[in-house]
Amino acid sequence: MTPWIGLAGCSLLMALTATPLCRRLAVHFGILARHNHRTVHSGKVPKLGGAALFVAVVIPALALTLAPGLWTRELTGLLLASTVLFLVGAIDDVRGLGCNLKLLLQSSGALLLVAFGFKIETLVLPGIGSFSLGWASLPFTLLWIVGVTNAINLIDGLDGLAVGVALCAIALAGGLAFAHGEATVVIVAALLIASLLGFLPYNLHPASIFMGDSGSLFLGLLVAWITVAGARTEPGKVMLLVPLVSLALPVTDTLWAIIRRARRGIHPFVADREHIHHRLLNAGLSHGTASLLMSAGSLLLALAALLLAGTWEASLPPLLSSCLSP
């Protein structure tokens, strides 16, 4: 495993060095998040951080092509689909895209990932057993990918919040993949965690750079894939409650946003200032405290998901013991 620890180290260093470079480029080209009625930051903040994340994840991941046993067809699809989502987000950051067009392009990226073999075909449900989705497998998988991608995008409203939420879910998925012997998933999790840790110092409040849609859509698709990949007991067979619990915070926030906006007759992706993090700020919490509180909540949910997974699989108690012991 030593070479792959080295890859994670490369991701960390690339994120640490690429982020300030992307910040300078964003300022030079005027790719800035400007204050408006629904933002919580002041002034103009560069929003090209997604480019740093993209470079820090994808370039080290390409080294896996040198390891035939670790490079898979699904991983090819993941890198292609995440590249599509990064480009969609980058265009939106620079020029702006309509909600419907952005949703269509996100769905195209999701279809690309499915075309390379990623699919949720059977659900493992507690007290019920396995349940085959049959014909519903394709729409269900697409809904999961697009839904989680947008959940991460919408939760990216406070400095460091999307990074904190994603880190918890990715760490859980990596731990489960380790227990299952899924080396490729473990390595991708390590690259993601290292990249996010390298980006985080620049994104903590007061952030000197945002990840922008280029980062949140790219990260969202990777989270959608890795949370399912980590919870697979075998190809296509998923303990879906595990990723749902670990992502309960952004998923619940997104579902409520869709319902709230539908009641008002507006597009579900038209931004407002009524997300959970906005409500915490309105309740008097500081920016940093609200972000930390929500990240801590995500950590507790990830631990609950780990315990939930441990009730189903005999292979997980040793992992649980090692993770939870002092």
Side-chain angles (χ1 to χ4, degrees):
M1 291 293 292
T2 304
W4 315 123
I5 294 174
L7 275 183
C10 288
S11 286
L12 176 63
L13 289 174
M14 290 177 76
L16 284 169
T17 55
T19 302
L21 175 60
C22 290
R23 182 175 57 197
R24 288 195 291 270
L25 289 173
V27 171
H28 178 76
F29 290 105
I31 307 172
L32 307 169
R34 293 170 169 82
H35 178 74
N36 57 46
H37 68 283
R38 56 181 173 77
T39 58
V40 297
H41 69 277
S42 58
K44 302 174 182 178
V45 182
K47 56 175 182 175
L48 201 58
L53 289 175
F54 178 80
V55 167
V57 172
V58 172
I59 291 180
L62 290 175
L64 295 179
T65 56
L66 303 176
L70 295 173
W71 187 267
T72 64
R73 183 168 178 266
E74 187 172 292
L75 184 55
T76 301
L78 176 68
L79 294 182
L80 290 174
S82 60
T83 299
V84 169
L85 268 291
F86 164 71
L87 292 174
V88 170
I91 294 171
D92 190 46
D93 286 337
V94 176
R95 292 178 161 285
L97 290 173
C99 294
N100 291 329
L101 177 57
K102 189 157 62 170
L103 182 59
L104 176 63
L105 293 172
Q106 290 173 13
S107 300
S108 300
L111 274 171
L112 183 59
L113 180 54
V114 170
F116 276 82
F118 177 72
K119 191 178 283 190
I120 303 170
E121 297 175 309
T122 303
L123 304 181
V124 181
L125 304 174
I128 298 175
S130 299
F131 174 74
S132 176
L133 290 173
W135 63 267
S137 173
L138 176 59
F140 188 89
T141 305
L142 293 176
L143 179 63
W144 174 263
I145 298 170
V146 175
V148 172
T149 298
N150 281 287
I152 298 298
N153 177 246
L154 293 177
I155 206 73
D156 186 30
L158 293 181
D159 297 347
L161 179 55
V163 173
V165 170
L167 277 172
C168 296
I170 293 165
L172 168 69
L176 294 177
F178 181 81
H180 297 153
E182 295 284 348
T184 300
V185 181
V186 173
I187 293 166
V188 173
L191 297 182
L192 280 169
I193 290 170
S195 300
L196 290 171
L197 289 176
F199 174 72
L200 184 58
Y202 305 98
N203 192 233
L204 289 173
H205 185 70
S208 63
I209 187 169
F210 295 157
M211 67 171 68
D213 274 15
S214 61
S216 60
L217 295 183
F218 170 71
L219 178 61
L221 183 131
L222 291 171
V223 169
W225 173 81
I226 202 166
T227 50
V228 165
R232 285 189 296 217
T233 57
E234 56 186 76
K237 194 172 184 178
V238 182
M239 300 180 292
L240 192 69
L241 276 182
V242 174
L244 270 178
V245 170
S246 71
L247 292 170
L249 194 59
V251 168
T252 300
D253 186 53
T254 299
L255 287 175
W256 177 240
I258 292 172
I259 294 170
R260 180 175 68 242
R261 293 162 187 173
R263 285 177 175 174
R264 297 173 181 172
I266 60 178
H267 196 285
F269 294 147
V270 171
D272 59 27
R273 198 185 162 105
E274 296 184 48
H275 291 284
I276 295 173
H277 50 274
H278 292 129
R279 295 176 184 273
L280 290 175
L281 294 178
N282 293 338
L285 271 67
S286 68
H287 193 123
T289 301
S291 182
L292 182 61
L293 181 63
M294 292 185 70
S295 297
S298 292
L299 177 59
L300 291 175
L301 287 167
L303 291 174
L306 181 61
L307 292 170
L308 182 63
T311 65
W312 283 327
E313 292 198 74
S315 62
L316 290 178
L319 175 66
L320 285 171
S321 297
S322 63
C323 289
L324 300 178
S325 60

